Amino acid sequence: MNDQSLEDMTPDMCAAKIFEISGEKFTPEIASDLWPKILQHKWLLSEKLLRDVGLRTACIDYIDHMEQAHKEFMAYQRKDILAEMGAQTISREVWDTISDSQPPKKLVQQKIILPLTEKGLSDKHGVVPPKTIIFFGPPGTGKTHFVKAIAGILSWWYIEIAPSMLMADGVDKIGANLRSIMEKSRNLDDAVIFIDEFEELAGSRDEGSRVDKSITNELLKQVPLLKTNKNNILLVCATNYIRKLDAALLRPGRFDCIIPVGELDASGRKTILEHYLSKLNRGHINLDQLVELTFGYTPADIEYLFHQVAQFAFEREYETGQDYRVTLDTFQQILPKIRPSLTDEMIEEFQKDSLTYSRA
Ligand SMILES: Nc1ncnc2c1ncn2[C@@H]1O[C@H](COP(=O)(O)OP(=O)(O)O)[C@@H](O)[C@H]1O
Ligand SMILES: [Mg+2]
């Protein structure tokens, strides 16, 4: 049927067509809204039944099950968006690799996880869980890891948007790509959307070029739209350079929480060390001593340390042909080669930023 083509159909034609097929009368306005949905339904039904379903069948089925058909189409569209955006599932166990003392686990638990998992109680007290948050802190402190852990413990999709993805079609298209991604995101449910290296997108408009300004302005529009959306969506942006962000974005009303992720204390290191130790071929190791020896190390430093130790053990055993077990002595050989990456200046700056920018 040639007259299916959307552009050619006036509202009156839509109403006439639907009436002809189904015997149901709709006003032209409603009919012109229904017509594209009927065509979508025809297409989806054909996909589902693996054969071409006629327009008549699709139209009657759509009108009989309008609500259900709409839900099905949304779910189908969501699947497409999830695939296109590279959505991943994250194991619940990632959450357990973070110690309660590792900032900001407690805060995230109280402000984000519990209000979502204890829905009845949060509704009762009028607690509205945050939808837009910023993590800031020096590199390697576990910001990305945290976002994954949140997606894992909530059993939500994890979708990472790298600034490079938005830049793929050239600098002039960044704003448009960002808008399109945010529009798609608003159709999702149960999803954590993560924008890493946020300062690359949301740099200060005072210092930025014309293009940067348009991106920041787009963000200023998109972030509040996400907040008014009823779906379960959490937007997390991470940056190593909170000072570079545009001040307008940091004002209340855009991001619900601005959360520092800083250095590890002994207990934080202990949990991460236990996690990585469990993967080694090891002899007896005094964990508390190792915790002392790794003072000042970030999660990234610890991860690197364990790569080096594992490689060392592997090479030793390859050379000697004898079972090599990692001990504290192995660590003491490798540790001097790995300096903690956080300098005193970095820690001092971070502490200042924490006072200036944090908002929970
Ligand atoms: N609690 C943790 N347990 C185990 N590994 C961790 C933990 N926190 C971070 N890591 C690891 O340390 C590295 C650096 O963390 P990442 O989240 O990428 O830091 P950031 O995003 O702040 O630069 C990552 O490879 C990550 O898997
Ligand atoms: Mg990161």
Side-chain angles (χ1 to χ4, degrees), residues 97-98 102 138-145 272 275-276 299-300 303:
T97 64
I98 304 172
Q102 185 175 339
T141 47
K143 297 180 290 299
T144 304
H145 191 79
I272 299 179
H275 168 74
Y276 285 114
E303 188 185 40

Side-chain angles (χ1 to χ4, degrees), residues 136 193 329:
F136 73 91
I193 318 280
D329 184 54

Side-chain angles (χ1 to χ4, degrees), residues 88 90-99 102-105 108 113 135 138-154 158 160 192 194 196 236-238 240 261 264 268 271-273 275-276 279 298-300 302-303:
Q88 302 170 41
I90 305 285
S91 121
R92 290 179 73 88
E93 277 94 66
V94 176
W95 184 253
D96 301 326
T97 64
I98 304 172
S99 131
Q102 185 175 339
K105 187 171 186 182
V108 169
I113 311 294
F135 280 146
T141 47
K143 297 180 290 299
T144 304
H145 191 79
F146 236 106
V147 186
K148 288 185 178 163
I150 294 172
I153 196 74
L154 289 173
Y158 171 77
E160 190 167 330
V192 175
F194 175 44
D196 206 357
V236 190
C237 301
N240 299 338
V261 183
L264 296 166
T271 308
I272 299 179
L273 290 168
H275 168 74
Y276 285 114
K279 299 179 182 178
T298 62
I302 294 176
E303 188 185 40

